[in-house]
Amino acid sequence: MSRYNKVSKELLDELLALLGKHNMTVDPEKLDTFKTDEETNPIYFHTPEVVVFPESTEQVAGVMKLANKYKVPVTPRGGGSSLACGAIPVYNGIVLCLEKMNKVLEVNADALYMIAEAGTITTEVQAAAKAAGLYYAGDPSSKASSEIGGNISTNAGGSRVVKYGTTRDQVYWLEIVTPTGEITRVGKRLQKNTTGYALEKLICGCEGTLGIVTKVCLKLRPIAPFHFDLVGIFKNVNDALAVPNQLQKAGVQPTAIEFLNTEAIQSAERFLGLELPYSKEDGNYIIVTVDSYDQDDLDNRVATADEICQNNHAAETLVADERIWNARYCNGEAARNDSRVFLAEDIVVPIDKIPDLVAKLPEIKEKYGITTNVVAHIGDGNIHVNAMKMDMPLEKWNEIIPQYHDTLYTFVYSLGGCLSGEHGIGLRKIAEMKKFTDPVELGMMEAIKKALDPNLILNPSKIFDFGN
């Protein structure tokens, strides 16, 4: 017997009364646009039966109460920028889209915080902070399309994690709707708090399985007035990979340390339609960002970073201008430009193990005949391996990818690493999550899910699969 019911006329009538006709759709053409997120492989596509667009936390709560009443699954959706099939409605049902809850409600420049609705685009959060002379440190590559609620859902990272931490570290409190339709606030605007469990930390990274974030209080910071971006270009990848640890040990304290290998540089070059330094000469980039409140301090740290690059046989060090950063930020679009179907891995390993992983990747690539390139938040060990289908038949691709994953993840875990640094598990990596996670640890996570979502209706078949 199925755990879930189909969307009935009775449920649609109650949703209509709750939301109004303008905040829901059952139009087949519109529903079809919600069958996937950033995923382009049709084996993962599932079409919802209804999409709803609530305008308030109370409406979100009402939808969840109706979903529990009728035993219909709900898939929350932000900007649809998930790279792990996180917003795909596996069991059809309801897609709950937060795009209409998109306001910045308050920016307090004196107390250094912002309150925003979950559907606010990340760049709009950044812009609102900047307009107040402040700085929001979260900076995922998807910032132009991702929503702040989605950043929270996956505990998004980005280039500034090495200094400021992930999205989880930018949050004071969250307003959420629980899987059963209750409204609560978790966390407080405090610098320290050990009053019970840190539920706001748990919600960050739960991928929408434990609650729907509707409002968030974010930490803001003063803008450092002095800034410099340096790119070291290395023909030997091992010379490049030695730089991050040496920067940290020398006390440079960079805001970002990013990496692109030769293939990633060439892919960006094709996508952007411009020529990048050393793209034809086996170049590998290490991009280092340094911020400071003092010009002399900035100059000293940049000089140290430059010296470290030179001592590691950099072919050249340059100012990392807009071309270089565009090459880094466009890696997903560039990979899709090369291959409509591709996998954006976001494996993470201890920083000192990065050279071991990068040395292993060509062997794995050769074994399975997959075209890859590598970009990385190398300062925190988060490695993006873009695997591209290219001219391989889709049937063969679908057949070999589980084997490719098994080989790649087995090696990653042997280094003390994990499946995901920022994209999440979603639907895509459920089998690997089960295989590579300690069963006691996995059991604890599943117990939390079952306790908070007794009907298992909120974003089902994400992280775990309890079946239908």
Side-chain angles (χ1 to χ4, degrees), residues 60-125:
V60 174
V63 172
M64 290 310 304
K65 288 176 181 176
L66 290 174
N68 279 276
K69 174 181 175 181
Y70 287 95
K71 301 297 188 293
V72 171
V74 176
T75 302
R77 183 183 177 100
S81 58
S82 172
L83 293 168
C85 304
I88 292 177
V90 178
Y91 297 113
N92 312 114
I94 301 168
V95 163
L96 188 150
C97 188
L98 291 157
E99 65 182 34
K100 290 190 175 182
M101 298 177 64
N102 59 4
K103 300 178 185 65
V104 173
L105 301 174
E106 179 184 358
V107 178
N108 191 312
D110 294 324
L112 301 176
Y113 71 85
M114 174 192 298
I115 298 174
E117 293 181 310
T120 309
I121 299 295
T122 309
T123 50
E124 294 176 3
V125 168

Side-chain angles (χ1 to χ4, degrees), residues 27 77 92 134 144 146 158 181 218 285 299 318 321 323 337 346 411 468:
D27 178 83
R77 183 183 177 100
N92 312 114
L134 298 171
S146 65
L218 299 168
Y285 294 172
D299 292 343
L318 303 169
D321 58 19
R323 295 174 307 154
N337 181 62
D346 71 318
F411 189 73
N468 183 14

Side-chain angles (χ1 to χ4, degrees), residues 6-52:
K6 292 294 183 181
V7 172
S8 64
K9 183 181 183 303
E10 291 77 14
L11 173 55
L12 289 175
D13 288 344
E14 292 206 50
L15 288 171
L16 182 63
L18 173 69
L19 301 167
K21 186 177 181 179
H22 61 294
N23 284 330
M24 58 185 290
T25 184
V26 292
D27 178 83
E29 288 188 10
K30 293 180 180 178
L31 295 180
D32 189 63
T33 65
F34 290 89
K35 67 186 178 185
T36 188
D37 38 39
E38 286 292 320
E39 180 56 57
T40 54
N41 190 335
I43 67 168
Y44 294 106
F45 294 176
H46 296 274
T47 304
E49 296 161 82
V50 59
V51 179
V52 299

Side-chain angles (χ1 to χ4, degrees), residues 66 139 183 189 253 255 280 304 360 392 405 440 447:
L66 290 174
D139 193 43
I183 300 171
R189 192 170 61 80
Q253 295 181 315
T255 302
K280 308 297 188 296
T304 300
K360 184 74 172 179
M392 185 183 296
H405 274 162
V440 176

Side-chain angles (χ1 to χ4, degrees), residues 11 68 145 149 192 267 278 295 310 359 365 370 383 413 415:
L11 173 55
N68 279 276
S145 59
K192 58 194 300 187
S267 177
Y278 288 82
Q295 182 68 64
Q310 297 294 344
K365 166 184 170 181
I370 295 174
I383 313 298
Y413 275 78
L415 298 176

